[in-house]
Amino acid sequence: MDFFVWKTSKNLQNGLRDPLQIASRPSETVWDQIVATDFFPLDVTDFGPTIKKIQAAKPDMVMSALVGAAHISFYRQWAAAGMTKQIPLASTTFGNGNEHIVTSAAEHNGIVCSYAYFEEVTSPANVDFVKKFKAKYASSTPWVTELAIMTYHGVNLWAAAVTKAGTTDRMKVIQALEGLSITGPAGKTTIDPKTHHAVLDVYVAEAQDKKFKVLESFPQQPPADTAAVCDLVKNPAENKQYVIDVKV
Amino acid sequence: MASLTLISMGLAVIFGMMRVINLAHGEFLMLGGYAAIVAYNAGMNIWPAMLVVAPLVVGVFGVVMERVLIRRLYGRMVDTMLASWGLSLALIGSVTVVFGNTVSGISAPLGAIRIGRYSTSAYEVLLVGIVGVLLGGGYLVLSRTRLGLIARGTMQNAPMAAALGVSPPAVYAVTFGVGAALTGLAGGLLAPLSGVVPTIGVAYIAKAFITVISGGAAILLGTLSAAALLGSINTATTFLTTPVLGEVALLAAAIVLLRLLPQGITGRFFRRSL
């Protein structure tokens, strides 16, 4: 199988690991070839030539990491060109900007996404949280995104670390954070001492009629990509930025 | 290419004929898009929403702006730029207050057309047809009707037209309104393809100006030839290399073109055309 990769020229938001890693780890499929990767300036609204290019290459799957207002037009033009039934589309950004609220069901049904949280997760903690959240911010919350919930977990982790350390001193809080866990609407989140990344539950879901249908869940996924190259326990002074080779 | 022509036609009328640098052109497009979407969401059929409501709303808005703002600044190019830039910022701000800074849109009507393994949206093909009709209609109005004659005469020599009994302020207001209406129509027609946000105009305005200036004096043929040339260069480069280089190629081509033909394409070729 092979697939196209779409990325934008904007950096991925904090907290999101590389989209390819997220998408490829939970699935059983082994991708053996990336046909092409394209980057788009954020004000591009015409995806016609790109869609023709995909039609010419006939990949088994297209992976989108498009973000921002202008790029939503890709999903519209993809559907308008009749591509939704022909090449499956996966994304690690679709939905986090409420793309599935502003596009129509015909345009987004079937797009597969992977996040550490979906509003539709049925754990009692989440059902309760979403109910309270919507009661408080009903009119301005069409959908609770992963970005919102991971921020909520992040702040709670910091608060737990401050309580544990008994101070807001930066180094002491960081030390308290190592190995610390909290449980929130997205389940248990632990800060991995080796990488300072988080151990999270990860879900794969499909866009369905302005909602997401959770297809599979992968509890407590370690940040394996970064852990393969970075060990802060062994080298506490490490400050190199690793670029993970996604083709492996 | 069709979309380049579409976004540039209103500007060709306002800038090409009246020499008014309307920096709020992109926001006129944005207003057209919102007019179509609001009408559609209010239960109107998508076609009249795009083809009637969008140009009507923006056309009326254009006439009002011409009467209130622009007419006081004819012949003062820098002041017009400042005023229309201010108008552009004010429009972005007020639309954001009303509609929020998120994307609104409608799905493209009609289905897809398949040609071999390629398929394209039937709507985009229809847009090419609409652009053809607009250009043809524009040509007929400008060349065959009394209205077109009066408009062209006034643009060429306003005092002379006035001496012959034409009222230049009225002609200016109508011309600006027609330009605004064309822009609104373009905004409405592009809404299903690109969606609309308050800041969408920024993505279009530079390309619209580049197309009109590269086209030169003949507003119809100039816009069409410049859009055809620049659009093909952009599409072909994007297809063969990357979208980033596609944008670069469009801008580079425009620079080379203006260096070689400072008066635009129709400053050298097809000089007697419209």
Coordinates of all heavy atoms in Angstrom, one line a residue, chain B residues 62-103:
Chain B
G62 N -21.9 48.5 -3.1 CA -20.9 49.3 -3.9 C -21.4 50.7 -4.3 O -20.6 51.6 -4.1
V63 N -22.6 50.8 -4.7 CA -23.2 52.1 -5.1 C -23.2 53.0 -3.9 O -22.8 54.2 -3.9 CB -24.6 51.9 -5.7 CG1 -25.2 53.3 -5.8 CG2 -24.5 51.2 -7.0
V64 N -23.6 52.5 -2.7 CA -23.6 53.3 -1.5 C -22.2 53.7 -1.1 O -22.0 54.9 -0.8 CB -24.2 52.4 -0.3 CG1 -24.1 53.2 1.0 CG2 -25.7 52.1 -0.6
M65 N -21.2 52.8 -1.2 CA -19.9 53.2 -0.9 C -19.3 54.2 -1.9 O -18.6 55.2 -1.5 CB -19.0 51.9 -0.9 CG -19.1 51.1 0.3 SD -18.7 52.0 1.8 CE -20.2 51.9 2.7
E66 N -19.7 54.1 -3.1 CA -19.3 55.1 -4.1 C -19.8 56.5 -3.8 O -19.1 57.5 -3.8 CB -19.7 54.7 -5.5 CG -19.0 55.3 -6.7 CD -19.5 56.6 -7.1 OE1 -20.7 57.0 -6.7 OE2 -18.8 57.3 -7.8
R67 N -21.1 56.5 -3.5 CA -21.7 57.8 -3.1 C -21.2 58.4 -1.8 O -20.9 59.6 -1.7 CB -23.3 57.6 -2.9 CG -24.0 57.3 -4.2 CD -24.2 58.5 -5.1 NE -23.0 58.8 -5.9 CZ -22.8 59.9 -6.6 NH1 -23.8 60.8 -6.7 NH2 -21.8 60.0 -7.4
V68 N -20.9 57.6 -0.8 CA -20.5 58.1 0.5 C -19.0 58.4 0.5 O -18.6 59.4 1.1 CB -20.9 57.0 1.6 CG1 -20.4 57.5 2.9 CG2 -22.4 56.8 1.6
L69 N -18.3 57.5 -0.1 CA -16.8 57.5 0.2 C -16.0 57.8 -1.1 O -15.3 58.8 -1.2 CB -16.4 56.1 0.7 CG -15.0 56.0 1.3 CD1 -14.9 56.8 2.6 CD2 -14.7 54.5 1.6
I70 N -16.1 56.9 -2.1 CA -15.2 56.9 -3.2 C -15.3 58.2 -4.1 O -14.3 58.8 -4.5 CB -15.4 55.7 -4.1 CG1 -15.3 54.4 -3.3 CG2 -14.4 55.7 -5.2 CD1 -13.9 54.1 -2.7
R71 N -16.5 58.7 -4.3 CA -16.7 59.8 -5.2 C -16.0 61.1 -4.7 O -15.7 62.0 -5.5 CB -18.2 60.1 -5.4 CG -18.9 60.9 -4.4 CD -20.3 61.1 -4.7 NE -21.1 61.4 -3.5 CZ -21.5 62.7 -3.2 NH1 -21.3 63.7 -4.1 NH2 -22.2 62.9 -2.1
R72 N -15.8 61.2 -3.4 CA -15.1 62.4 -2.9 C -13.6 62.3 -3.2 O -12.9 63.3 -2.9 CB -15.3 62.5 -1.4 CG -16.8 62.6 -1.0 CD -17.1 62.5 0.4 NE -18.5 62.2 0.6 CZ -19.4 63.2 0.6 NH1 -19.1 64.4 0.3 NH2 -20.7 62.9 0.7
L73 N -13.2 61.2 -3.7 CA -11.7 61.0 -3.8 C -11.2 60.7 -5.2 O -10.1 60.3 -5.4 CB -11.3 59.8 -2.9 CG -11.6 59.9 -1.4 CD1 -11.4 58.6 -0.7 CD2 -10.8 61.0 -0.8
Y74 N -12.1 61.0 -6.2 CA -11.7 60.7 -7.6 C -10.5 61.5 -7.9 O -10.4 62.7 -7.6 CB -12.8 61.0 -8.6 CG -13.9 59.9 -8.6 CD1 -15.2 60.2 -8.5 CD2 -13.5 58.6 -8.7 CE1 -16.2 59.3 -8.6 CE2 -14.4 57.6 -8.7 CZ -15.8 57.9 -8.6 OH -16.7 57.0 -8.6
G75 N -9.5 60.9 -8.6 CA -8.3 61.6 -9.0 C -7.3 61.7 -7.9 O -6.2 62.2 -8.1
R76 N -7.6 61.3 -6.7 CA -6.6 61.3 -5.6 C -6.3 59.9 -5.2 O -6.8 59.3 -4.3 CB -7.2 62.0 -4.4 CG -7.4 63.5 -4.6 CD -8.5 64.1 -3.7 NE -8.2 64.0 -2.3 CZ -9.0 64.4 -1.4 NH1 -10.2 64.8 -1.7 NH2 -8.7 64.3 -0.1
M77 N -5.4 59.3 -6.0 CA -5.1 57.8 -6.0 C -4.7 57.3 -4.6 O -5.3 56.4 -4.1 CB -4.0 57.5 -7.0 CG -4.1 56.0 -7.4 SD -3.1 55.8 -8.9 CE -4.3 55.5 -10.1
V78 N -3.8 58.0 -4.0 CA -3.3 57.6 -2.7 C -4.4 57.6 -1.6 O -4.6 56.7 -0.8 CB -2.1 58.4 -2.2 CG1 -1.6 58.0 -0.8 CG2 -0.9 58.2 -3.2
D79 N -5.2 58.7 -1.7 CA -6.3 58.8 -0.7 C -7.3 57.7 -0.9 O -7.9 57.2 0.0 CB -7.0 60.2 -0.9 CG -6.0 61.3 -0.5 OD1 -5.0 61.0 0.1 OD2 -6.3 62.5 -0.9
T80 N -7.6 57.4 -2.2 CA -8.5 56.3 -2.5 C -8.0 55.0 -1.9 O -8.8 54.2 -1.3 CB -8.7 56.1 -4.0 OG1 -8.7 57.4 -4.6 CG2 -10.0 55.4 -4.3
M81 N -6.7 54.8 -2.1 CA -6.1 53.5 -1.6 C -6.3 53.4 -0.1 O -6.8 52.4 0.5 CB -4.7 53.4 -1.9 CG -4.4 53.0 -3.4 SD -2.7 53.2 -3.8 CE -2.0 51.8 -2.9
L82 N -6.0 54.6 0.6 CA -6.1 54.6 2.1 C -7.6 54.3 2.5 O -7.8 53.5 3.4 CB -5.6 55.9 2.6 CG -4.2 56.0 3.0 CD1 -3.9 57.4 3.5 CD2 -3.9 55.0 4.1
A83 N -8.5 55.1 1.8 CA -9.9 55.0 2.2 C -10.4 53.6 2.0 O -11.1 53.0 2.8 CB -10.7 56.0 1.4
S84 N -10.1 53.0 0.8 CA -10.6 51.6 0.5 C -9.9 50.6 1.4 O -10.5 49.6 1.8 CB -10.5 51.3 -0.9 OG -9.2 51.3 -1.4
W85 N -8.7 50.8 1.8 CA -8.0 49.9 2.7 C -8.7 50.0 4.0 O -9.0 48.9 4.7 CB -6.5 50.3 2.8 CG -5.7 49.2 3.6 CD1 -6.0 47.9 3.6 CD2 -4.6 49.4 4.4 NE1 -5.1 47.2 4.4 CE2 -4.2 48.1 4.9 CE3 -3.8 50.5 4.7 CZ2 -3.1 48.0 5.7 CZ3 -2.7 50.4 5.5 CH2 -2.3 49.1 6.0
G86 N -9.0 51.2 4.5 CA -9.7 51.3 5.7 C -11.1 50.6 5.7 O -11.5 49.9 6.6
L87 N -11.8 50.8 4.5 CA -13.0 50.1 4.3 C -12.9 48.6 4.4 O -13.7 47.9 5.0 CB -13.6 50.5 2.9 CG -14.9 49.8 2.5 CD1 -16.0 50.2 3.4 CD2 -15.2 50.2 1.0
S88 N -11.7 48.1 3.8 CA -11.5 46.7 3.8 C -11.3 46.2 5.3 O -11.9 45.2 5.7 CB -10.2 46.4 3.0 OG -9.4 45.5 3.6
L89 N -10.5 46.9 6.1 CA -10.3 46.5 7.5 C -11.6 46.5 8.2 O -11.9 45.6 9.0 CB -9.3 47.4 8.1 CG -7.9 47.3 7.5 CD1 -6.9 48.2 8.2 CD2 -7.3 45.8 7.7
A90 N -12.4 47.6 8.0 CA -13.7 47.7 8.7 C -14.6 46.6 8.3 O -15.3 46.1 9.2 CB -14.3 49.1 8.3
L91 N -14.6 46.2 7.1 CA -15.5 45.1 6.6 C -15.1 43.8 7.3 O -15.9 43.0 7.8 CB -15.5 45.0 5.1 CG -16.3 46.0 4.3 CD1 -16.1 45.8 2.8 CD2 -17.8 45.9 4.7
I92 N -13.8 43.5 7.3 CA -13.3 42.3 7.9 C -13.7 42.2 9.4 O -14.2 41.3 9.9 CB -11.7 42.2 7.8 CG1 -11.3 42.0 6.4 CG2 -11.2 41.0 8.6 CD1 -9.8 42.0 6.1
G93 N -13.5 43.4 10.0 CA -13.9 43.5 11.5 C -15.4 43.3 11.7 O -15.8 42.4 12.5
S94 N -16.2 44.0 10.9 CA -17.6 43.9 11.2 C -18.2 42.5 10.9 O -19.0 42.0 11.6 CB -18.4 45.0 10.6 OG -17.7 45.7 9.6
V95 N -17.7 41.9 9.7 CA -18.2 40.6 9.4 C -17.8 39.6 10.4 O -18.5 38.7 10.8 CB -17.7 40.2 8.0 CG1 -18.0 38.8 7.7 CG2 -18.4 41.1 6.9
T96 N -16.5 39.7 11.0 CA -16.1 38.8 12.0 C -17.0 38.9 13.2 O -17.3 37.9 13.9 CB -14.6 39.1 12.4 OG1 -13.8 39.2 11.3 CG2 -14.1 38.1 13.4
V97 N -17.4 40.2 13.6 CA -18.3 40.3 14.7 C -19.6 39.6 14.5 O -20.2 38.9 15.3 CB -18.6 41.8 15.0 CG1 -19.7 42.0 16.0 CG2 -17.3 42.5 15.5
V98 N -20.2 39.7 13.3 CA -21.5 39.1 13.0 C -21.4 37.6 12.8 O -22.2 36.9 13.4 CB -22.1 39.8 11.7 CG1 -23.4 39.1 11.3 CG2 -22.3 41.3 11.9
F99 N -20.4 37.1 12.0 CA -20.4 35.7 11.6 C -19.3 34.9 12.3 O -19.3 33.7 12.2 CB -20.2 35.6 10.1 CG -21.3 36.1 9.3 CD1 -21.3 37.3 8.7 CD2 -22.5 35.3 9.1 CE1 -22.3 37.8 7.9 CE2 -23.6 35.8 8.4 CZ -23.5 37.1 7.8
G100 N -18.5 35.6 13.1 CA -17.4 34.8 13.8 C -16.2 34.6 12.8 O -16.4 34.7 11.6
N101 N -15.1 34.2 13.3 CA -13.9 34.0 12.4 C -13.8 32.6 11.9 O -12.7 32.1 11.6 CB -12.7 34.5 13.1 CG -12.4 33.7 14.4 OD1 -13.2 32.9 14.8 ND2 -11.3 33.9 15.0
T102 N -14.9 31.8 11.9 CA -14.8 30.4 11.4 C -15.3 30.4 10.0 O -15.9 31.3 9.5 CB -15.6 29.5 12.3 OG1 -16.9 30.0 12.4 CG2 -15.0 29.3 13.7
V103 N -15.1 29.2 9.4 CA -15.4 29.1 8.0 C -16.9 28.8 7.8 O -17.4 27.9 8.5 CB -14.6 27.9 7.3 CG1 -14.9 27.8 5.9 CG2 -13.1 28.2 7.5

